[in-house]
């Protein structure tokens, strides 16, 4: 589910709108300058088709509204 959510969100338009081009998508909750940061984490670009496939593989059922409750 987390991977599907990451694939379903197009972060670039949000960053462009909110930060007017002065930000870049983060791959971690840690800043690059942190001693604990590692660039070896999985990243997921915007891919709504793959997000749907991931949700289907997990057995979720499409619904109108919130399907998590």
């Amino acid at each position: 589910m987390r991977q599907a959510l990451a694939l379903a969100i197009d972060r670039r338009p949000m960053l462009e709108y909110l930060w007017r081009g002065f930000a870049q998508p983060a791959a971690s909750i840690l800043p690059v300058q942190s001693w604990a940061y590692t660039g070896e984490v999985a990243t997921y670009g915007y891919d709504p088709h793959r997000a749907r496939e991931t949700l289907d593989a997990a057995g979720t059922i499409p619904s109108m509204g919130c399907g998590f409750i």
Side-chain angles (χ1 to χ4, degrees):
M1 296 294 266
R2 291 182 203 174
Q3 183 178 358
L5 183 60
L7 290 165
I9 298 173
D10 192 1
R11 298 180 298 159
R12 290 215 179 263
M14 289 189 287
L15 288 175
E16 187 62 37
Y17 177 77
L18 294 171
W19 294 99
R20 307 288 187 231
F22 291 101
Q24 60 186 9
S28 171
I29 61 169
L30 296 172
V32 178
Q33 301 84 359
S34 171
W35 63 269
Y37 175 82
T38 179
E40 299 175 11
V41 296
T43 58
Y44 303 98
Y46 178 60
D47 189 347
H49 180 69
R50 191 166 151 217
R52 172 50 55 198
E53 289 176 346
T54 304
L55 289 172
D56 290 342
T60 60
I61 300 170
S63 65
M64 299 294 286
C66 184
F68 300 104
I69 297 176

